[in-house]
Amino acid sequence: MKRFAFLLFALCPSLFAAAKPNVLLICVDDLKPLLGCYGDKVVKSPNIDRLAARGVLFEKAFCNQAVCSPSRNALLTGLRPQTLGIYDLPTNFRKSAPDAVTLPQHFKANGYRAEGLGKIFHVGHGNVNDEASWSVPHFSPKTISYALKENNPPTSTREQALFENKTEAWKLPRGAPAESADVPDNAYGDGAIADEAIKRLAAAKQQPDAPFFLAVGFLKPHLPFVAPKKYWDLYDPASFKLPELKQAPEGAPEFAPTTWGELRQYKDMPESGPLTDEQTRHLIHGYHAATSYMDAQLGKVLDALDANGLAENTIIVLWGDHGWHLGDHGMWCKHTNYEQAARIPLIVAAPGIAGGQRTQALVESCDIYPTLAELTNLPAPPQGDGRSFASVLKNPATTVRDHAIHVYPRTGLIGRAVRTQRHRLVEWKKPGEAPETAILELYDYEADPAETKNLAASQPEVVASLRKLLSQHPEAKPQIANKPDPKQAEAMKPVQDRGAMFDQRDKNQDGQLTKEEFLLNQPDPDEAPKRFPKFDADGNGTLSREEFVKSGKK
């Protein structure tokens, strides 16, 4: 019998190669668990729902940081942001871990054809794709795209230029935050990505000896909320309820909430203060429409997987890179440690795993890499902070973690968060400083699921128990320098002409900078608004040339 098996392998190696399961990794940008399968009664997400029916849905999955690049670094390297020391968009992960073997790279090294479509690594804002990870060139449509002529300036919009790593993006016009156009699905990026994925799956059928790792990165519902009109028409805008909670948690540190600078970069959005009810309803409508549009593209990919006879031997993972504040707490976008930003959708369907199951197991994005390695019988990842949750897929009543951990940086502090089944503790402090210097937040999701009040001062015993969990983890690294060493940087640094910068921003040449003019070309749009009142020495709401020039020398 052994001799027969040896001869069979020698003569027909393709029989054994075909046994390797394929991997279809679906990454979705800014998708919160606002989905039918997660219990929402308004959103139309039939294709994600049917994927949940064939897989295991994770109720308590969390990103490692609620912003695109660090979150994707955690997924693709298995390394948390505080391990890499990277919390921003521009810094490439290889600045910190040059020899890291990424998730697709690991599969490529073990006989898989690794292909990437759409947004997988964060590309833009100074960051680039990781070509070493792919077997073939990466497929990338435009990240920011509009179909209507009035939303397409002759050059580009500010946000699209940032994603294309163009210089002086701030000089370009702001794009519309949403668009509804009566166009086919592939007029926008996600439709083009789905079309390409369908082609790749058809090609994979013709290569049964080569298992595939296909990463498909959908762009929506990331801003701008663009989608064909038929997806907007799925919803009655009057039916959307406006957020009831419009304030940050009582007792929360003033720096903990986001000022949602990302959304404020779009046309007609206020530079400070809240949105109108009309704007709020329109953006909620747009988020739902963009979600349903993306869901339809996923449906096409799942149909192609089935039509090509690949589904039975393919592991499917649907992962959202982080959540999104949709007006709750008076906040929009991500960029916080709160539940609406940190909790993510995660669904895994795999051969031999019963579908239609749900689990309360706590998992992090960095856990997906070792899980896929175990499910495919590949060696464990050569680096990473993650733990395989393959055992949870077989028995959803089990767990591999008693807490999840994530972070967010703010004003020189790192907010390390511990999330258990019931609580979240956030410890804000500078890396390396003594624990007693920390500012704390505590939330109880059984007693206060909406996070209305910081309970840290009133529940010291709970705080102490959660800080013990936090003490199991290494101290967070400070953000690594994405620049030459200080001496070299100083030698290379051009002399800053603050007067010329003032003239550039003073669009109407009235000798004063409004707050909007001041915010032009700011590299940190979420923090820059906080500097304006500090620079406004006389408190008159504008900056004189003298105030602007002197402010840069402080």
Side-chain angles (χ1 to χ4, degrees):
M1 178 62 93
K2 289 181 180 178
R3 183 180 178 190
F4 173 76
F6 173 79
L7 289 172
L8 186 63
F9 177 78
L11 295 172
C12 305
S14 63
L15 293 175
F16 290 84
K20 279 188 176 181
N22 305 304
V23 176
L24 175 61
L25 174 63
I26 308 291
C27 300
V28 189
D29 208 354
D30 284 14
L31 181 68
K32 63 192 299 178
L34 187 74
L35 302 164
C37 54
Y38 277 89
D40 189 83
K41 304 299 183 186
V42 176
V43 74
K44 306 295 192 298
S45 55
N47 296 294
I48 297 177
D49 299 346
R50 69 168 161 130
L51 178 60
R54 67 201 275 183
V56 179
L57 181 149
F58 287 78
E59 298 271 14
K60 288 190 172 77
F62 296 92
C63 67
N64 289 106
Q65 186 186 328
V67 70
C68 295
S69 188
S71 176
R72 290 165 186 269
N73 289 343
L75 170 78
L76 295 163
T77 68
L79 295 166
R80 297 184 178 115
Q82 60 269 40
T83 300
L84 287 168
I86 298 176
Y87 310 94
D88 64 1
L89 295 179
T91 309
N92 188 272
F93 72 93
R94 293 205 183 275
K95 293 276 185 180
S96 173
D99 299 322
V101 177
T102 69
L103 171 58
Q105 193 177 10
H106 190 52
F107 275 78
K108 185 176 76 166
N110 284 278
Y112 280 73
R113 189 176 65 259
E115 303 182 30
L117 318 176
K119 187 171 180 179
I120 307 300
F121 292 93
H122 181 84
V123 176
H125 304 87
N127 214 327
V128 295
N129 198 4
D130 189 63
E131 299 300 336
S133 292
W134 309 111
S135 304
V136 296
H138 188 272
F139 175 84
S140 298
K142 287 183 73 173
T143 302
I144 308 291
S145 59
Y146 298 98
L148 298 178
K149 185 178 180 180
E150 59 265 32
N151 290 331
N152 276 301
T155 50
S156 180
T157 64
R158 184 180 302 182
E159 287 297 309
Q160 179 59 33
L162 290 172
F163 279 103
E164 292 176 350
N165 288 325
K166 291 182 178 177
T167 58
E168 298 187 314
W170 60 275
K171 290 183 177 179
L172 298 171
R174 300 177 185 226
E179 179 182 90
S180 170
D182 193 4
V183 293
D185 286 3
N186 59 9
Y188 295 117
D190 279 355
I193 291 167
D195 287 351
E196 184 65 24
I198 291 167
K199 293 177 185 176
R200 301 291 178 98
L201 290 171
K205 181 183 179 181
Q206 305 304 315
Q207 303 176 64
D209 293 350
F212 64 80
F213 179 99
L214 179 61
V216 179
F218 289 121
L219 307 171
K220 297 300 138 191
H222 191 288
L223 283 166
F225 301 147
V226 301
K229 180 177 178 295
K230 63 184 176 182
Y231 299 104
W232 288 79
D233 291 345
L234 292 174
Y235 303 97
D236 174 9
S239 68
F240 290 114
K241 293 181 179 179
L242 297 176
E244 295 180 7
L245 184 62
K246 298 182 180 180
Q247 302 296 327
E250 179 186 340
E254 64 176 10
F255 55 78
T258 175
T259 55
W260 37 285
E262 179 187 9
L263 177 59
R264 297 187 193 278
Q265 290 299 305
Y266 284 86
K267 188 166 58 176
D268 300 326
M269 294 293 103
E271 63 183 47
S272 63
L275 301 181
T276 65
D277 286 354
E278 182 182 4
Q279 289 172 320
T280 296
R281 185 172 277 110
H282 183 59
L283 288 176
I284 292 173
H285 188 182
Y287 186 91
H288 282 72
T291 297
S292 293
Y293 165 58
M294 176 279 301
D295 177 86
Q297 309 321 301
L298 170 66
K300 296 173 186 177
V301 175
L302 295 178
D303 288 344
L305 190 74
D306 292 338
N308 285 292
L310 299 168
E312 289 187 4
N313 194 41
T314 298
I315 299 164
I316 308 170
V317 176
L318 181 133
W319 170 82
D321 59 352
H322 41 67
W324 221 77
H325 290 286
L326 204 57
D328 65 280
H329 295 90
M331 291 187 281
W332 296 85
C333 310
K334 48 269 188 183
H335 311 112
T336 74
N337 272 321
Y338 295 119
E339 187 81 349
Q340 293 296 324
R343 183 170 171 245
I344 60 173
L346 177 62
I347 300 168
V348 181
I353 301 299
Q357 300 188 90
R358 312 172 83 84
T359 178
Q360 294 289 318
L362 291 158
V363 297
E364 304 174 18
S365 292
C366 64
D367 296 332
I368 293 172
Y369 187 166
T371 301
L372 287 174
E374 181 174 348
L375 290 174
T376 52
N377 293 311
L378 265 58
Q383 80 284 317
D385 299 313
R387 296 180 184 177
S388 171
F389 54 77
S391 60
V392 177
L393 296 171
K394 296 167 187 173
N395 182 1
T398 62
T399 188
V400 296
R401 291 187 178 279
D402 60 2
H403 66 280
I405 186 169
H406 57 89
V407 297
Y408 205 85
R410 195 80 85 208
T411 61
L413 307 178
I414 303 293
R416 294 195 300 162
V418 170
R419 180 60 159 93
T420 65
Q421 289 288 344
R422 179 169 177 173
H423 295 97
R424 171 179 284 111
L425 175 79
V426 186
E427 179 191 78
W428 295 95
K429 69 182 185 69
K430 291 184 178 180
E433 290 206 348
E436 54 268 24
T437 66
I439 300 169
L440 302 172
E441 292 181 87
L442 175 67
Y443 301 98
D444 182 338
Y445 295 94
E446 287 184 13
D448 182 23
E451 297 168 319
T452 63
K453 185 176 181 179
N454 176 12
L455 304 171
S458 61
Q459 297 189 15
E461 288 135 3
V462 177
V463 168
S465 67
L466 293 174
R467 293 191 89 175
K468 283 184 180 177
L469 296 179
L470 194 58
S471 69
Q472 298 173 12
H473 298 272
E475 181 73 22
K477 291 180 181 177
Q479 169 71 39
I480 67 168
N482 193 20
K483 302 172 183 176
D485 67 72
K487 289 182 180 179
Q488 182 183 2
E490 193 61 35
M492 295 170 60
K493 188 177 179 181
V495 177
Q496 194 178 57
D497 187 341
R498 299 282 297 177
M501 290 169 66
F502 181 92
D503 294 336
Q504 224 171 22
R505 286 175 163 82
D506 186 15
K507 296 300 182 184
N508 59 2
Q509 297 184 343
D510 64 351
Q512 298 287 323
L513 292 188
T514 64
K515 188 173 181 181
E516 183 175 7
E517 289 173 324
F518 170 75
L519 293 175
L520 290 174
N521 198 29
Q522 297 289 358
D524 53 350
D526 210 38
E527 297 297 327
K530 301 174 186 177
R531 292 197 292 274
F532 185 83
K534 297 177 183 178
F535 297 165
D536 184 14
D538 59 12
N540 70 346
T542 61
L543 301 183
S544 67
R545 173 183 286 273
E546 183 181 6
E547 286 174 323
F548 182 80
V549 171
K550 282 186 176 180
S551 70
K553 297 178 180 178
K554 292 179 181 177

